[in-house]
Amino acid sequence: MRTENFVSDVVRRAVEALYGPLDGEQLQIQKTRREFEGDYTLVTFPLLRRSRKSPEATAEEIGGHIVANAPEVEAFNVVKGFLNLKLSGAFWGARFAEAKAEPRFGEAPDTGRTIMIEYSSPNTNKPLHLGHVRNNLLGYSVAQILRACGHRVIRANLVNDRGIHICKSMLAWKLYGGGETPASSGMKGDHLVGKYYVEFDKHYKEQIRELVAAGQSEEEAKKNAPVMREAQEMLRRWEARDPEVRALWETMNGWVYEGFDATYAAMGVAFDKVYYESQTYLLGKNIVEEGLAKGVFYRRPDNSVWIDLTGDGLDEKLLLRGDGTSVYMTQDLGTAFRRFEDNRLDDMIYVVGNEQNYHFQVLKLVLKKLGYAWSDHITHLSYGMVELPEGKMKSREGTVVDADDLIAGMVQTAREMSDELGKLDGCSEEEAAAVSSMVGLGALKYFILKVDPKKTMLFDPRESIDFNG
């Protein structure tokens, strides 16, 4: 039932009961202005020739008749010649129940378009931090908006679970961990692994200082530091599928995934598909061979494969190393192809920081030169970095705002402020905790999303949990 139609019928019946048939005459009914009490307003001036009374008296007479005969209208008031009608709570409850019963309640008509949006994309060598919070909230919000517009949306996460940075945490745990686990330490798994990423950097810097003191240049020392050489060797063993390295990798990644899942749940974000770089980093090699055959790419004497984009105002881009190993662009070419083919995508949106603007510019151009028409349907949702008053966050140095700490801090502040204001009086502990969580997370999401995505955010933890304004 349309509310406007219902109100019109109620008013028409009252007018005709009082003054006779309207004979097709239209009633002037509109939504009540914000400064007056009521839901709908009848303009009585056109009815005065029938009532032969003043505007106020006519409005009082019609309003009294409606309230006496239509229980859905609980009250009325008159402002000069305007009759303001207030609908009952029972009426609105019935309308909401009708709407909720609709199979596609709150959804736009299906557009038939399938859109994948990739966000989060964490590394498994550290916990999620404030930068990831901005990424996740932007990505999830855009996904919700697109879904509300009637598109079929696939929320995707590409987990960076391989590479030298992962081996750094693994090696540090092996050298200095003493068998520590999430269970033995009481730490979330992602925090435990992140602890050893910082530990690696501490020993790496110390070894660099020792080598420089012994006469090596800083550049030489960075390459020759024993822990870096061991990490590179571990990466080679991982790529060779060494059973011992792979077992440690699976164990430590498992700790991280449990930690990530807890943080995602606290943030209120989710995914429909999760991809892993360890499964996708080789995908682009066939596309590189295809580009060579088409003459789009070229091979250098050292066997590496490149594309020359200088004619497009860019530079020359490496696509495959001389030893045949992939680079990020190789992986992204293959992953984009596989996603469009497997999911029959109409659009692909990457939520990635603006440090990767050039990368996505190149990705789209390379795919276009290879003849993939869907390259025009790739969008990079670029957003600004989140910086602290002290400068950029650095995970390897531990100078980050941890996502779990931030969430817990927001919830705790919401609880303290609500207690001070007496907002939780009479609530059970369970109810108070639920309210604090909703308010704290709502404030965090507002703080993040109110800033234009393109802008770099300056985040001061001391000011972020100010609930004023």
Side-chain angles (χ1 to χ4, degrees), residues 307-316 365 369:
I307 183 171
D308 185 356
L309 299 175
T310 54
D312 299 280
L314 304 178
D315 61 7
E316 295 187 82
L365 184 55
K369 288 182 178 293

Side-chain angles (χ1 to χ4, degrees), residues 287-297 367-372:
I287 291 182
V288 173
E289 293 300 325
E290 173 193 332
L292 280 169
K294 289 181 176 179
V296 177
F297 307 151
L367 288 167
K368 192 174 187 67
K369 288 182 178 293
L370 287 170
Y372 297 118

Side-chain angles (χ1 to χ4, degrees), residues 137-338:
L137 295 183
L138 283 172
Y140 187 78
S141 298
V142 171
Q144 293 293 86
I145 291 169
L146 292 172
R147 189 165 281 175
C149 291
H151 304 303
R152 176 176 176 255
V153 179
I154 303 173
R155 301 165 301 183
N157 186 0
L158 174 62
V159 180
N160 300 304
D161 64 340
R162 61 166 290 278
I164 190 65
H165 49 296
I166 309 299
C167 290
K168 289 177 180 179
S169 294
M170 291 165 58
L171 178 63
W173 181 86
K174 186 175 179 180
L175 294 175
Y176 317 116
E180 186 177 29
T181 67
S184 70
S185 65
M187 293 179 70
K188 274 180 83 229
D190 51 336
H191 287 259
L192 180 64
V193 173
K195 168 186 168 181
Y196 286 100
Y197 185 58
V198 175
E199 188 72 16
F200 176 93
D201 191 62
K202 183 178 75 175
H203 287 273
Y204 179 46
K205 286 181 175 177
E206 179 59 33
Q207 290 179 4
I208 291 173
R209 282 193 291 270
E210 291 173 357
L211 292 173
V212 169
Q216 293 191 22
S217 69
E218 186 172 350
E219 199 61 37
E220 290 173 329
K222 286 180 179 178
K223 293 178 181 177
N224 296 329
V227 288
M228 180 57 76
R229 286 183 173 273
E230 287 186 73
Q232 290 169 338
E233 175 58 24
M234 180 175 275
L235 178 58
R236 282 190 287 271
R237 289 173 62 194
W238 182 90
E239 293 189 351
R241 308 193 71 81
D242 179 282
E244 180 186 349
V245 173
R246 286 282 176 143
L248 176 60
W249 172 73
E250 290 175 0
T251 296
M252 293 183 70
N253 276 353
W255 296 344
V256 172
Y257 298 145
E258 288 182 10
F260 283 174
D261 288 345
T263 307
Y264 289 140
M267 268 193 284
V269 302
F271 306 93
D272 303 301
K273 288 193 175 185
V274 179
Y275 296 87
Y276 299 92
E277 188 179 317
S278 58
Q279 299 169 355
T280 63
Y281 78 106
L282 298 176
L283 282 178
K285 287 192 172 182
N286 287 339
I287 291 182
V288 173
E289 293 300 325
E290 173 193 332
L292 280 169
K294 289 181 176 179
V296 177
F297 307 151
Y298 71 94
R299 194 183 297 277
R300 289 186 177 178
D302 65 356
N303 210 40
S304 60
V305 178
W306 296 71
I307 183 171
D308 185 356
L309 299 175
T310 54
D312 299 280
L314 304 178
D315 61 7
E316 295 187 82
K317 185 69 179 177
L318 174 68
L319 299 171
L320 206 62
R321 296 189 186 96
D323 59 5
T325 56
S326 303
V327 294
Y328 274 116
M329 185 58 67
T330 326
Q331 170 190 300
D332 284 353
L333 290 170
T335 304
F337 174 83
R338 184 55 52 215

Side-chain angles (χ1 to χ4, degrees), residues 350-395:
Y350 294 88
V351 182
V352 182
N354 58 17
E355 292 179 334
Q356 296 297 322
N357 285 354
Y358 184 77
H359 175 85
F360 284 99
Q361 188 179 0
V362 171
L363 175 66
K364 289 185 65 171
L365 184 55
V366 171
L367 288 167
K368 192 174 187 67
K369 288 182 178 293
L370 287 170
Y372 297 118
W374 44 256
S375 62
D376 288 332
H377 297 273
I378 289 176
T379 300
H380 174 206
L381 175 52
S382 172
Y383 65 91
M385 295 293 99
V386 183
E387 296 183 357
L388 302 175
E390 299 81 15
K392 294 179 71 172
M393 294 187 291
K394 297 178 182 177
S395 297

Side-chain angles (χ1 to χ4, degrees), residues 330-349:
T330 326
Q331 170 190 300
D332 284 353
L333 290 170
T335 304
F337 174 83
R338 184 55 52 215
R339 286 174 174 176
F340 271 91
E341 291 296 311
D342 290 352
N343 300 285
R344 295 292 184 261
L345 299 181
D346 293 292
D347 294 282
M348 174 75 214
I349 301 172

